[in-house]
Amino acid sequence: MKYTEDDLKEELKTKQYEYGFYSDFESETFAKGLNEDVVRAISKKKNEPEWMTNWRLEAYRGWTKMKEPEWANVKYQKPNFQEIAYYSAPKKNPKLNSIDEVDPDMLATFEKLGISLAEQKRLANVAVDIVMDSVSVATTFKKTLAEKGIIFMPISEAIQEYPELIKKYMGSVVPTTDNFYAALNSAVFSDGSFCYIPKGVKCPMELSTYFRINEGGTGQFERTLVIADKGSYVSYLEGCTAPQRDENQLHAAVVELIALDDAEIKYSTVQNWFPGDANGKGGVFNFVTKRGLCETNAKISWTQVETGSAITWKYPSCILKGNNSVGEFYSIAVTNHFQQADTGTKMIHLGKNTKSTIISKGISAGKSQNSYRGLVQINSRAENARNFSQCDSLLMGNECGAHTFPYIEVKNNTAQIEHEATTSKIGEDQLFYCNQRGINNEKAIALIVNGFSKEVLNKLPMEFAVEAQKLLEISLEGSVG
Amino acid sequence: MILKINNLHSTVDGKTILKGLNIEVKAGEVHAIMGPNGSGKSTLANIIAGKEDYEVTQGTIELNGENISELSPEERAHAGVFLSFQYPVEIPGVSVTNFIKTSINENRKARGLEDMPAKDMLQKIREKSELLEIDRKFLSRSLNEGFSGGEKKRNEIFQMAMLEPKLAILDETDSGLDIDALRIVANGVNKLKSKDNAVIVITHYQRLLDYIVPDFVHVLYDGKIVKSGVASLALEIEAKGYDWIKQELENLV
């Protein structure tokens, strides 16, 4: 029987759960505060098996003995963890009837980012016509993945459907006791993505959370697990260039990547959470633990464009366990106004002939503070390990700060480590030169910033790169008078 | 009349640099401005281009009969002013091609035109880079980053060729050039000259003027044009230096 467009519409109407809606839980929110009963209740709400409940409880107990880290170069009022509600139904923005009801500022930003009308509607939560491009895309997409045996679903579903994979891998790269925020996430995580690529399969498309329609409500304590089985390949896109506002101030996500022998994972992030207003009020605290494990000949590549959040605390890392494994970290972090970012990576070389590359581009404007913090660790058995690090900072104006904290620990003398760092400033001379060629300040800054970030932008998947480039321009608007 | 400067006075950081400068440049003309160090030559170039650090305290600058003294640097560029910088700045990660493309399209936008079609742009880039004997690889390098002195200046003239300004001011374009580069650059400028545009060559030395022959030569001294003449004046300066002109001035006083 032929599968028609009408069937598709029907399927979408009736099978919402497959796309990750949580209609069951809609109206409920727990009282504020955190204790073992709350953790149990979260687990129960999600109908989790006992082993999962226990896993959460163990994480919670570990967390109660931990202290919030203070070593990062950021200043903020610490959240009161008993003042947070740890379970709330996915937030539903009010449904709007037409694009005309959307905040004009938001529309203007969409326009600048070059986001299509259909996409604008989706992002702004406008009720969309049943005939809409992204729906059929999502369906085709789902079918293609299924044919290849690729699993891509909310992690809450994976816990039900693939308990063996979850038991084996969740917490294997970021243990529940890893750090304060990771422990908290492990105890209370709301939802997130699960992805498994079978042996030898090259995922034929970029896997994007875009296609998981329920993305909205899972932000606060998100948990992502990506497993690339032997010889497989996947490129995963997280986030969105469109501005994301959220009432939750604290975000503590955990992302674990596992690249088995000869596998490759490319993980790209564009993070554009609300950074607070021009006076530094409000904004999201983004405390994220991201780490990947590489087995023999495996490769993990992190690429991130960080423009949002009031505070960013984030170090996507690679454990190069297998011989000949490769870790890469490409980062652009933009801070403006009163934003603070402390971000970088850890490359832990355990296997022989392991290789890592770090390219970090920090752009600071306004009164912001932007720090790179990175660790390159070569363990005693890691013969012939190599690392190349390059950390460049670009300053705009006289009131912002750029800081670099590279840590290098070498326990094997066959290691080759290179570290380069530069700091530059967008100078009056550069601006005048551009002006003289007919290019105004705003355009000139965009040009200079994009040139500065080019090595990293080039690492992003094409469509993402174009949007990210525009995003950089928007983030820095008005930063030079 | 392309450029008319009338009684121009200006200060930078409170210091008076120009003290009543007058000059008139007609379409199709090449003017050379010479003068000892610190006489205000580069200041003049920057003031015409609209650099903010320089304050015009008196006088007017007219381009094609319109007063441009109050315009921003980019507006002056849109009106057809081009400055070949003495020290062109580096912009890492931005290729020569990308930069000139942005520049051309921003200028077009200011005139209410659409972006130049990619095909035309490439065609034009090819044509003008051949004119200046610029290698194709050069075009994909980051703007001025790691360029030799000669490459920087050649790139400035390449941009001039691409933008086709009404008024081109070449600020010490000969400095840092070896004789071959000088010949190529001068040759480029000569080919770009037309009856509709004008060129001001600011230089210390006669050398460049062997290749770009000026219609008029002016000597700038102490913030004023103190002597004007034809091409032979440059030769006289080359032979005798500036002291005799200073002497003449003192005798006048």
Side-chain angles (χ1 to χ4, degrees):
Chain A
M1 206 178 77
K2 207 169 162 248
Y3 189 82
T4 65
E5 186 99 348
D6 291 329
D7 296 333
L8 191 159
K9 286 178 202 164
E10 204 50 44
E11 184 187 317
L12 283 162
K13 265 191 261 173
T14 52
K15 290 194 178 174
Q16 286 194 327
Y17 187 66
E18 285 191 13
Y19 294 87
F21 280 109
Y22 300 88
S23 41
D24 294 350
F25 310 135
E26 245 169 36
S27 58
E28 292 171 71
T29 298
F30 283 10
K32 289 171 180 174
L34 186 56
N35 54 47
E36 291 203 7
D37 289 340
V38 171
V39 175
R40 277 197 193 89
I42 292 170
S43 189
K44 185 152 183 277
K45 265 284 167 213
K46 297 184 156 289
N47 207 10
E48 286 175 354
E50 202 188 336
W51 57 267
M52 195 67 237
T53 315
N54 289 336
W55 194 85
R56 285 180 183 269
L57 284 170
E58 198 184 311
Y60 171 75
R61 287 171 198 140
W63 179 72
T64 57
K65 298 189 193 83
M66 296 167 104
K67 279 211 171 71
E68 206 174 344
E70 288 177 345
W71 43 261
N73 188 29
V74 292
K75 291 189 185 71
Y76 60 98
Q77 180 83 45
K78 283 185 188 168
N80 180 345
F81 293 94
Q82 295 304 334
E83 277 296 308
I84 295 171
Y86 287 87
Y87 180 85
S88 61
K91 196 184 59 150
K92 284 229 162 171
N93 293 314
K95 278 272 183 209
L96 305 176
N97 293 317
S98 91
I99 196 89
D100 302 333
E101 294 173 28
V102 180
D103 176 8
D105 282 354
M106 202 165 178
L107 285 182
T109 309
F110 286 159
E111 205 62 45
K112 287 182 198 159
L113 286 167
I115 292 171
S116 72
L117 189 66
E119 173 72 342
Q120 290 186 22
K121 287 182 176 174
R122 189 185 73 82
L123 292 165
N125 209 24
V126 174
V128 274
D129 323 327
I130 191 82
V131 189
M132 109 182 161
D133 295 348
S134 59
V135 169
S136 48
V137 171
T139 307
T140 327
F141 175 83
K142 231 181 72 187
K143 287 193 161 182
T144 315
L145 292 185
E147 277 163 19
K148 298 259 179 191
I150 293 166
I151 305 167
F152 184 40
M153 56 168 53
I155 204 157
S156 57
E157 283 179 38
I159 290 165
Q160 309 290 344
E161 293 184 35
Y162 300 97
E164 294 316 311
L165 284 173
I166 298 284
K167 272 190 212 168
K168 186 168 177 189
Y169 291 110
M170 189 150 83
S172 69
V173 188
V174 180
T176 54
T177 52
D178 189 79
N179 68 68
F180 184 83
Y181 303 115
L184 178 64
N185 175 288
S186 302
V188 303
F189 70 89
S190 30
D191 210 336
S193 298
F194 174 78
C195 169
Y196 172 80
I197 316 290
K199 271 180 202 158
V201 170
K202 306 261 177 261
C203 186
M205 55 189 70
E206 317 274 350
L207 282 192
S208 164
T209 45
Y210 167 90
F211 293 106
R212 287 208 21 245
I213 297 171
N214 76 327
E215 201 43 34
T218 59
Q220 192 174 13
F221 298 105
E222 201 169 350
R223 183 111 200 166
T224 302
L225 177 59
V226 178
I227 304 159
D229 210 329
K230 291 179 181 173
S232 67
Y233 167 82
V234 63
S235 169
Y236 189 97
L237 310 183
E238 172 199 55
C240 178
T241 50
Q244 298 188 51
R245 287 180 177 263
D246 196 290
E247 302 309 314
N248 300 313
Q249 186 164 43
L250 175 68
H251 282 244
V254 170
V255 176
E256 292 177 282
L257 309 183
I258 293 125
L260 297 178
D261 294 357
D262 304 301
E264 180 176 349
I265 302 175
K266 198 170 147 55
Y267 193 102
S268 313
T269 307
V270 171
Q271 184 272 115
N272 191 15
W273 290 107
F274 182 50
D277 65 15
N279 300 314
K281 284 190 103 173
V284 166
F285 294 177
N286 196 23
F287 302 122
V288 188
T289 306
K290 291 184 163 181
R291 197 174 301 152
L293 178 79
C294 287
E295 296 286 358
T296 306
N297 299 324
K299 179 175 172 183
I300 289 179
S301 214
W302 297 100
T303 305
Q304 60 171 21
V305 178
E306 301 280 320
T307 63
S309 297
I311 305 210
T312 303
W313 181 99
K314 183 177 172 185
Y315 315 90
S317 303
C318 296
I319 300 172
L320 303 173
K321 182 179 160 216
N323 293 342
N324 313 314
S325 58
V326 177
E328 294 175 340
F329 173 76
Y330 303 103
S331 169
I332 301 170
V334 179
T335 53
N336 197 357
H337 303 305
F338 287 87
Q339 283 177 275
Q340 304 175 65
D342 194 300
T343 184
T345 184
K346 291 181 193 171
M347 293 291 175
I348 312 293
H349 293 250
L350 301 175
K352 295 187 174 103
N353 308 314
T354 44
K355 233 171 93 179
S356 62
T357 304
I358 299 170
I359 310 278
S360 164
K361 304 276 180 179
I363 300 161
S364 338
K367 295 186 167 147
S368 67
Q369 297 295 327
N370 200 328
S371 304
Y372 166 81
R373 187 182 303 278
L375 168 69
V376 175
Q377 190 184 71
I378 314 285
N379 283 66
S380 55
R381 285 177 304 123
E383 294 285 318
N384 299 315
R386 296 182 64 171
N387 163 265
F388 174 76
S389 302
Q390 185 186 327
C391 304
D392 298 326
S393 306
L394 186 66
L395 296 162
M396 299 168 67
N398 295 321
E399 294 178 281
C400 55
H403 315 269
T404 306
F405 305 99
Y407 304 82
I408 298 173
E409 293 172 19
V410 179
K411 291 178 188 145
N412 184 311
N413 59 16
T414 60
Q416 281 184 47
I417 309 260
E418 287 173 76
H419 181 92
E420 290 177 9
T422 65
T423 302
S424 51
K425 204 176 153 186
I426 294 189
E428 293 296 319
D429 285 353
Q430 278 176 318
L431 291 177
F432 178 60
Y433 188 88
C434 293
N435 294 160
Q436 208 301 304
R437 298 301 187 249
I439 303 166
N440 65 25
N441 276 350
E442 200 174 315
K443 191 82 190 172
I445 288 166
L447 196 67
I448 294 165
V449 165
N450 278 318
F452 175 77
S453 315
K454 202 170 79 178
E455 288 157 280
V456 176
L457 287 172
N458 283 347
K459 298 290 173 187
L460 287 171
M462 193 56 190
E463 328 81 82
F464 229 31
V466 175
E467 280 186 25
Q469 199 168 336
K470 290 182 196 148
L471 178 61
L472 293 183
E473 295 171 19
I474 293 170
S475 305
L476 291 166
E477 256 174 24
S479 50
V480 166
Chain B
M1 185 79 63
I2 298 257
L3 179 73
K4 184 176 179 189
I5 294 181
N6 185 29
N7 191 31
L8 189 66
H9 290 68
S10 85
T11 57
V12 57
D13 296 332
K15 200 177 155 214
T16 306
I17 309 277
L18 298 183
K19 303 170 181 172
L21 183 137
N22 297 294
I23 193 170
E24 289 188 4
V25 180
K26 294 194 181 70
E29 291 178 350
V30 176
H31 288 237
I33 295 179
M34 302 182 73
N37 279 333
S39 57
K41 298 192 301 293
S42 283
T43 300
L44 177 61
N46 282 312
I47 281 185
I48 297 171
K51 193 167 187 183
E52 274 173 23
D53 316 350
Y54 298 85
E55 199 190 337
V56 173
T57 49
Q58 213 181 315
T60 54
I61 306 169
E62 286 176 18
L63 187 78
N64 288 321
E66 272 185 63
N67 186 1
I68 59 164
S69 322
E70 298 297 319
L71 297 184
S72 68
E74 58 270 29
E75 286 167 332
R76 295 182 199 205
H78 301 155
V81 174
F82 179 91
L83 172 60
S84 168
F85 283 77
Q86 186 178 0
Y87 305 108
V89 298
E90 296 180 1
I91 307 186
V94 177
S95 68
V96 172
T97 304
N98 187 15
F99 184 76
I100 196 63
K101 191 181 95 193
T102 307
S103 170
I104 284 192
N105 285 333
E106 287 297 301
N107 278 293
R108 287 175 67 96
K109 196 158 89 187
R111 292 185 204 118
L113 298 171
E114 295 282 301
D115 280 3
M116 185 183 279
K119 195 173 130 272
D120 298 358
M121 184 76 76
L122 286 173
Q123 169 69 32
K124 190 162 188 179
I125 288 174
R126 191 172 307 133
E127 192 185 301
K128 302 299 181 186
S129 57
E130 274 165 20
L131 175 71
L132 290 153
E133 299 177 35
I134 284 174
D135 189 61
R136 199 63 55 82
K137 272 184 242 150
F138 179 85
L139 298 170
S140 49
R141 285 171 64 187
S142 286
L143 191 76
N144 293 318
E145 200 181 31
F147 284 17
S148 69
E151 285 171 331
K152 283 184 185 171
K153 297 301 169 72
R154 208 183 294 188
N155 181 38
E156 293 292 289
I157 303 305
F158 167 68
Q159 293 181 31
M160 170 184 158
M162 290 293 292
L163 289 165
E164 299 170 338
K166 284 273 177 302
L167 173 69
I169 305 160
L170 313 185
D171 188 7
E172 310 253 355
T173 296
D174 49 338
S175 69
L177 291 189
D178 62 29
I179 197 74
D180 291 329
L182 187 72
R183 190 182 44 74
I184 293 166
V185 162
N187 196 20
V189 173
N190 287 332
K191 284 190 184 153
L192 297 168
K193 267 193 325 192
S194 79
K195 60 178 176 32
D196 302 318
N197 61 25
V199 181
I200 295 177
V201 181
I202 292 173
T203 182
H204 260 295
Y205 306 106
Q206 150 67 20
R207 200 170 73 134
L208 180 63
L209 304 180
D210 286 340
Y211 296 94
I212 305 173
V213 180
D215 299 300
F216 300 97
V217 174
H218 310 277
V219 177
L220 183 58
Y221 177 68
D222 194 26
K224 270 186 244 178
I225 299 224
V226 294
K227 196 169 184 66
S228 296
V230 290
S232 59
L233 177 59
L235 291 168
E236 205 176 347
I237 290 166
E238 182 79 356
K240 303 199 308 204
Y242 291 104
D243 284 349
W244 64 280
I245 298 174
K246 292 181 195 170
Q247 199 59 52
E248 271 185 13
L249 281 175
E250 276 164 33
N251 292 344
L252 270 174
V253 177

